[in-house]
Amino acid sequence: MACIVKQKVGNNTYLYESTSYRNSEGKPRNKRCLIGKINRE
């Protein structure tokens, strides 16, 4: 399942696409792919 995550780093805010999955041990994990930076304007 994929969702969009907003994360603030310092003075900037970034958007990531987060994909959830289970590893070989059956534990939940996430992969994030950077979409881009949000402008303050």
Side-chain angles (χ1 to χ4, degrees):
M1 177 178 197
C3 63
I4 304 298
V5 178
K6 204 188 307 186
Q7 182 176 5
K8 187 169 182 174
V9 179
N11 292 331
N12 301 314
T13 304
Y14 296 93
L15 286 178
Y16 293 91
E17 180 182 15
S18 177
T19 306
S20 301
Y21 68 97
R22 292 196 177 259
N23 66 7
S24 60
E25 299 172 358
K27 295 184 180 181
R29 299 285 182 222
N30 293 315
K31 284 187 179 180
R32 281 189 174 184
C33 180
L34 178 64
I35 296 173
K37 182 177 172 181
I38 298 176
N39 291 333
R40 289 184 172 192
E41 299 171 358

